Amino acid sequence: MLRHTALFLGYELRNTVRNPVWPLFGILQPVLYMLLFAPLLAKTTPGVPQAETLKQFTPGVMVMIALFGSLFVGFGMISEIRGGVLERLAVSPASRPAIVLGRTLRDVIVLVAQALLIAALGLLMGMRPNPPGLALMILLMALTGVFASSLSYGLALALRDENGMSQIMQLFALPLILLTGILLPMSLAPGWMRAVANFNPLYHTVEAGRALFNGDLGNGSIPLAFGLMLVLAVITLRWSVSSMRRLAG
Amino acid sequence: MIITAHGLKKTFTTRSRKGTQTVEAVRDIDLSVETGEIFGVLGPNGAGKTTTIRMLSTLITPTGGSATVAGRDLARDPRAIRERIGYVSQAGGVDELNSPRANLMLAARVNGIAKADAAGRVEETLTAFELTEFADRPARTLSGGQKRRVAIALGLVHRPPLLFLDEPTTGLDPQNRANLWDQIRLLRSAGTSVLLSTHYLDEADALCDRLAIVDHGVIVAEGTPAALKREVASDVVTLRLTPADTGRPADAPDLEEVRKLLEAQTYAREARVDGDRLLVYLDDGEHALPHLLRALAERALVIQSIALDRATLDDVFLHKTGRFLRDAA
Ligand SMILES: Nc1ncnc2c1ncn2[C@@H]1O[C@H](COP(=O)(O)OP(=O)(O)O)[C@@H](O)[C@H]1O
Ligand SMILES: [Mg+2]
């Protein structure tokens, strides 16, 4: 299984490196947010230096990449199902978990590369996050990425249909963004919204990210976010692997 | 025998708003494929060809029946079968974003070819399928025929003794079809056994050593193309008739009457009405034709058109199912 995972990972990575348009395109929006939205945000909070605003803002942008970069990977898998690629693999002796694991790992690696890019941009713009905090945040992002991309693969294998998939995503996307406080801290939200947000694991991820960047490493949101994401990642990964087994026998 | 199957069955259950429905895709299929032959499964769309191939290649579990594929039991040892077969689906399974070489490389490695040997093996396979020229272009830029060759190469890169091809030439132009037939024949001469499905009569006739004709999930006839045709008749006369001094084409009661008349003749095997045509099956067309003309003249029937042809597999299909394969949906 490990050997096959490495094979699939290598294949997918070479593919991405040869054709890096989509990951680059995917990072464009977050980069624009950093460049345009952060200064705007700084204006609305006079007296707070831009570097501080960025520290509040960047963790949200990172979670956004982790979520939206990875949630769409399932569309690629649907076209692989349609083109018979997965069927061909299913007839081969390929390890079933490896088919999913190789792809998920590729997604996580792309994600970490994107996160480093955003972090570098933030540093250039004057942000000074706590270094161990930044490292932990990237780890947390990778976990979020595992969760989002295996959720996406699981959905793709269950639905096998682009339309159904985009409908489900639209249903969840907006409330998730609003209740996560990705763009604006939830402290600006009315009380009921904050109460609802508590049930949104991504809200805790962003909160943990802000704490990490501020060097507040003892903050309770950090273990909470890691724990939640770990559990979610394990559940969705198992789901996508078992869906692959069902498809491939 | 590279494949023996007994009583294979597959029932699909689909759930929709109207409740659960069951489809008996394959009802009862017995097959035996000799080592080193090209065996065809011929049938119209929906006959159960793909389902049969998917069962034999371990993709789906049969609802009933048993099979031995490449020397291993299908129910007990699907993993061992996977190491010994190649499978090319109708969709092809080529990763369009990647090059034929990268596609083949991964297929070789996943099928257990060591890293050191993989590059050489891939190169050989590319050469065998005349793909070297496009080996490093993204597969989506290839033509239909080239892509098909990549798909088949993917099923063969690990040199399995048995290859499944599901409708390998569907959608190809005549030139590419003929080339692909040659390539499949080359496989046979290299000792590979091939099981392919097709709905093309000429393909089944020209390419297959033996075939099974399937309809509605059951085999209706099996044998070599020549023997199957011989069983029906060697020749077929197609007639369009007009009753004398009426000028109108013959209608159904007229045709039925003539059909009975001709079928009663000693030289005729069988006669059938197909729309406004009458088909008469004969063992020895050249010699029987004069007798047939005389019989029609006695009945004062005017012949609008007449054709004498060799019987085809479509005549076999008609004989067995009561309809032409080219009309069957
Ligand atoms: N996964 C499936 N679920 C439900 N019905 C199916 C499925 N696959 C095939 N069928 C049905 O089984 C029958 C045989 O299909 P198939 O084997 O694809 O035929 P062929 O390949 O000869 O055209 C068809 O009626 C088809 O609709
Ligand atoms: Mg089919």
Side-chain angles (χ1 to χ4, degrees):
Chain A
M1 181 178 103
L2 288 180
R3 202 166 44 83
H4 280 189
T5 303
L7 280 177
F8 285 114
L9 174 62
Y11 178 85
E12 297 295 338
L13 274 181
R14 265 191 297 277
N15 221 356
T16 308
V17 169
R18 242 179 355 89
N19 195 3
V21 176
W22 289 114
L24 284 179
F25 207 72
I27 193 97
L28 200 63
Q29 195 185 358
V31 165
L32 285 178
Y33 269 123
M34 294 280 288
L35 291 176
L36 303 177
F37 205 78
L40 200 73
L41 205 60
K43 274 263 158 44
T44 60
T45 50
V48 184
Q50 181 174 307
E52 275 311 302
T53 320
L54 274 173
K55 248 203 254 184
Q56 291 296 307
F57 183 65
T58 313
V61 171
M62 286 186 154
V63 172
M64 188 163 78
I65 312 172
L67 202 56
F68 289 99
S70 308
L71 268 181
F72 289 95
V73 294
F75 285 100
M77 185 162 273
I78 291 178
S79 76
E80 284 186 307
I81 295 174
R82 196 149 293 153
V85 176
L86 288 190
E87 194 170 286
R88 180 165 56 77
L89 291 175
V91 179
S92 78
S95 145
R96 292 1 190 185
I99 301 173
V100 175
L101 291 178
R103 283 167 174 73
T104 308
L105 275 179
R106 183 264 327 258
D107 301 335
V108 169
I109 290 175
V110 168
L111 199 63
V112 168
Q114 289 177 328
L116 290 174
L117 207 79
I118 290 292
L121 184 66
L123 290 175
L124 280 179
M125 290 169 75
M127 175 181 69
R128 293 290 170 265
N130 175 282
L134 176 61
L136 280 173
M137 179 57 192
I138 287 178
L139 190 66
L140 185 58
M141 257 191 85
L143 268 182
T144 312
V146 172
F147 156 64
S149 67
S150 35
L151 179 66
S152 187
Y153 289 135
L155 279 174
L157 289 165
L159 299 170
R160 302 184 195 182
D161 168 61
E162 284 94 348
N163 283 330
M165 184 120 166
S166 45
Q167 271 164 20
I168 287 202
M169 292 209 179
Q170 269 163 21
L171 188 68
F172 285 109
L174 195 67
L176 267 184
I177 302 188
L178 286 180
L179 294 176
T180 299
I182 281 183
L183 300 179
L184 298 169
M186 283 308 279
S187 50
L188 299 178
W192 67 268
M193 223 190 224
R194 257 178 288 164
V196 177
N198 265 314
F199 292 97
N200 177 359
L202 295 169
Y203 164 71
H204 300 289
T205 312
V206 175
E207 288 299 300
R210 289 188 179 131
L212 285 167
F213 272 32
N214 282 328
D216 180 8
L217 298 186
N219 193 303
S221 67
I222 298 171
L224 181 62
F226 269 94
L228 278 172
M229 276 305 139
L230 190 64
V231 169
L232 284 173
V234 167
I235 291 174
T236 52
L237 198 59
R238 289 180 66 121
W239 180 47
S240 59
V241 166
S242 71
S243 305
M244 179 60 72
R245 280 199 200 216
R246 214 167 310 123
L247 176 104
Chain B
M1 292 291 171
I2 191 100
I3 302 177
T4 52
H6 293 292
L8 276 189
K9 276 188 198 41
K10 183 71 195 183
T11 309
F12 290 108
T13 319
T14 50
R15 272 179 292 270
S16 68
R17 244 162 266 152
K18 288 180 209 131
T20 55
Q21 280 179 314
T22 54
V23 185
E24 290 191 300
V26 170
R27 291 193 286 174
D28 182 14
I29 287 206
D30 287 355
L31 272 185
S32 48
V33 178
E34 298 276 355
T35 305
E37 76 177 345
I38 301 177
F39 187 93
V41 177
L42 171 70
N45 275 328
K49 304 182 295 293
T50 299
T51 307
T52 304
I53 292 191
R54 286 164 60 91
M55 282 192 283
L56 291 173
S57 58
T58 77
L59 261 173
I60 50 177
T61 324
T63 316
S66 62
T68 310
V69 179
R72 303 297 156 118
D73 187 80
L74 181 61
R76 275 202 304 268
D77 210 358
R79 280 161 186 264
I81 293 176
R82 286 185 195 126
E83 287 167 10
R84 290 166 173 77
I85 61 170
Y87 166 83
V88 183
S89 68
Q90 201 178 333
V94 179
D95 176 5
E96 307 245 330
L97 301 174
N98 231 325
S99 66
R101 190 190 303 279
N103 266 280
L104 283 165
M105 205 57 191
L106 181 67
R109 298 283 286 119
V110 160
N111 277 287
I113 296 174
K115 195 170 185 180
D117 308 328
R121 176 67 66 84
V122 166
E123 199 58 52
E124 279 167 41
T125 313
L126 286 167
T127 312
F129 283 87
E130 294 165 34
L131 290 164
T132 17
E133 217 179 305
F134 341 97
D136 298 298
R137 258 165 48 183
R140 64 168 181 279
T141 65
L142 303 185
S143 76
Q146 293 161 350
K147 224 177 277 176
R148 217 3 69 181
R149 296 214 295 277
V150 179
I152 297 179
L154 280 171
L156 278 171
V157 68
H158 56 298
R159 305 224 176 110
L162 171 62
L163 180 66
F164 293 97
L165 296 171
D166 194 7
E167 309 234 4
T169 67
T170 297
L172 293 190
D173 58 72
Q175 173 80 48
N176 275 314
R177 282 180 73 202
N179 289 345
L180 202 58
W181 290 358
D182 286 339
Q183 229 127 22
I184 296 172
R185 290 190 187 106
L186 277 179
L187 288 177
R188 173 180 53 192
S189 39
T192 307
S193 313
V194 179
L195 186 146
L196 62 86
S197 76
T198 182
H199 66 268
Y200 292 121
L201 297 152
D202 55 340
E203 180 160 289
D205 204 341
L207 185 59
C208 300
D209 299 315
R210 285 195 314 127
L211 53 103
I213 302 181
V214 293
D215 191 33
H216 298 308
V218 290
I219 293 182
V220 295
E222 191 181 343
T224 66
L228 283 169
K229 286 182 289 186
R230 220 179 308 123
E231 203 186 306
V232 178
S234 69
D235 301 301
V236 52
V237 172
T238 308
L239 291 160
R240 279 199 171 80
L241 299 168
T242 311
D245 53 74
T246 60
R248 65 180 172 84
D251 55 23
D254 296 337
L255 284 174
E256 183 53 28
E257 197 192 324
V258 186
R259 190 190 72 76
K260 286 209 182 98
L261 165 78
L262 293 177
E263 207 167 51
Q265 310 289 322
T266 50
Y267 50 79
R269 279 265 204 114
E270 191 188 356
R272 273 179 183 274
V273 176
D274 176 49
D276 63 342
R277 308 179 309 160
L278 191 64
L279 308 174
V280 190
Y281 291 93
L282 309 163
D283 277 329
D284 181 1
E286 279 84 351
H287 288 101
L289 196 54
H291 298 288
L292 188 139
L293 292 175
R294 212 169 308 129
L296 290 172
E298 279 166 15
R299 278 301 177 99
L301 287 161
V302 177
I303 298 171
Q304 270 187 339
S305 70
I306 184 167
L308 175 65
D309 297 293
R310 300 278 169 237
T312 66
L313 289 174
D314 212 4
D315 296 306
V316 178
F317 193 81
L318 176 72
H319 178 75
K320 297 289 184 186
T321 67
R323 63 203 206 289
F324 278 117
L325 189 144
R326 58 173 183 267
D327 302 333

